[in-house]
Amino acid sequence: MTSQIKTDLDIDYRLVFLGPPGSGKGTQARLLASRFGMKHISTGAILRGEIDAGTCLGIEAKKYIENGQLVPDHLVRSLAENAIKSEDCKGFILDGYPRTIQQALWLCEFMDAEAESLTAVINLTISNEDVVSRLSQRRINSCTGENFHLSNKPPPQEQSKFIVIRSDDQPDAIRQRLKIYHELTHPLVEYYSKKKLLIAVDALGSFGAVNSEICRVLNFPG
C-alpha cells in the first residue's frame, strides 16, 4: 500500500516505523525527528542503555539480543509506555515497537486510553539478501552509538579505535533475526494496512533519497 497523508506540519505526529533489521528504521527516524522537532523513541536504544548500565532488566534482555531473539513483551512494554508518556503522547516516532501483534494491540489500547491515535505507519521494504549485505557491513561507534556502513558511510579514521561490529550483525545472527521478523513482526504490515495507516517506502537507496521519499509521502518538506 502506498498513500499520502495531509498535514499542516504541526509536530504532533505519532508515527511508527516498521521494517526488517537493516532497513534503516533508526537512521530514518533520527533524521526525521531531528528535522521536525519530534522525539525519536527507540526501544532498542533504551534497552542497550539498560544493558550498558547493568540493570536487572538489561542483564535479562542481553541474553535474548545476543541470540538474535526478540526481547519479550514484558521487558519492553513499560519502557515504551514511559517514553511515550514523557512526550505527553505528542510528536514522536516509535522505532522498534510494536514488534508483534500483541504489542500493536496494547499500543492501540494505550493510545485510545490517552485519547490519541497514530498518524501513520511507515513500512520500509527491503529484500533479505540486501539486509544481509547491508548489516554485515554495519559498524557502530561504541561511544556515540552512531551507525556507519563500510561501503556507503565509512567511519572516520579518527574514530577507528571506537568502531565495533555488533554481535547480532554477524551473518548467522542476521538470518536468525530475519526469520523471527517474518514470523512475528511482518504480520503487522497487514494489521496496519487494514487500519489504513500503512505507507510503504522502498528502503533500498541512499539515506538522503529514502528520507526524501518519507517526507514526500508524509507531505513534509523534502
Side-chain angles (χ1 to χ4, degrees):
M1 175 183 178
T2 301
S3 60
Q4 286 183 297
I5 61 173
K6 294 183 179 181
T7 171
D8 57 5
L9 230 56
D10 189 316
I11 64 169
D12 183 13
Y13 289 86
R14 297 161 299 283
L15 304 175
V16 167
F17 275 28
L18 290 181
S23 60
K25 297 186 299 296
T27 297
Q28 295 302 333
R30 283 191 295 272
L31 286 171
L32 203 70
S34 176
R35 290 183 64 188
F36 300 106
M38 303 169 73
K39 176 68 174 180
H40 173 209
I41 299 175
S42 167
T43 51
I46 296 172
L47 280 169
R48 285 191 288 275
E50 297 285 332
I51 291 170
D52 291 343
T55 66
C56 293
L57 186 152
I59 292 171
E60 186 174 356
K62 185 177 182 180
K63 295 182 296 184
Y64 294 94
I65 293 173
E66 289 186 338
N67 288 322
Q69 298 176 317
L70 288 180
V71 176
D73 288 355
H74 73 274
L75 294 182
V76 293
R77 176 171 179 167
S78 61
L79 295 179
E81 178 179 354
N82 290 340
I84 294 172
K85 283 187 174 181
S86 73
E87 300 304 313
D88 296 324
C89 301
K90 310 290 184 182
F92 64 80
I93 303 172
L94 272 173
D95 159 25
Y97 196 90
R99 287 190 174 183
T100 64
I101 294 295
Q102 180 178 345
Q103 291 177 358
L105 292 172
W106 164 79
L107 179 61
C108 182
E109 292 172 359
F110 172 75
M111 297 301 292
D112 285 347
E114 298 293 328
E116 298 288 358
S117 61
L118 293 177
T119 307
V121 176
I122 299 295
N123 181 39
L124 295 171
T125 62
I126 186 172
S127 72
N128 286 355
E129 293 77 10
D130 287 319
V131 166
V132 174
S133 174
R134 179 180 284 185
L135 285 186
S136 63
Q137 296 191 68
R138 183 167 66 174
R139 299 295 183 270
I140 308 290
N141 184 307
S142 59
C143 292
T144 66
E146 183 176 3
N147 286 322
F148 297 97
H149 189 275
L150 297 182
S151 296
N152 301 330
K153 185 188 174 186
Q157 184 62 37
E158 62 270 18
Q159 296 186 28
S160 59
K161 65 179 179 180
F162 303 114
I163 301 302
V164 299
I165 181 171
R166 282 170 36 176
S167 60
D168 56 349
D169 281 343
Q170 301 290 348
D172 287 346
I174 295 169
R175 293 185 181 94
Q176 175 65 14
R177 291 165 66 192
L178 283 169
K179 180 177 182 291
I180 293 171
Y181 169 79
H182 286 294
E183 289 175 354
L184 297 180
T185 305
H186 192 260
L188 291 175
V189 171
E190 182 178 1
Y191 174 83
Y192 283 118
S193 180
K194 287 181 178 179
K195 287 182 171 290
K196 301 188 184 304
L197 288 170
L198 194 78
I199 304 176
V201 173
D202 187 349
L204 191 60
S206 68
F207 293 124
V210 175
N211 189 254
S212 293
E213 177 62 9
I214 292 173
C215 289
R216 185 189 71 80
V217 298
L218 290 174
N219 203 25
F220 286 2

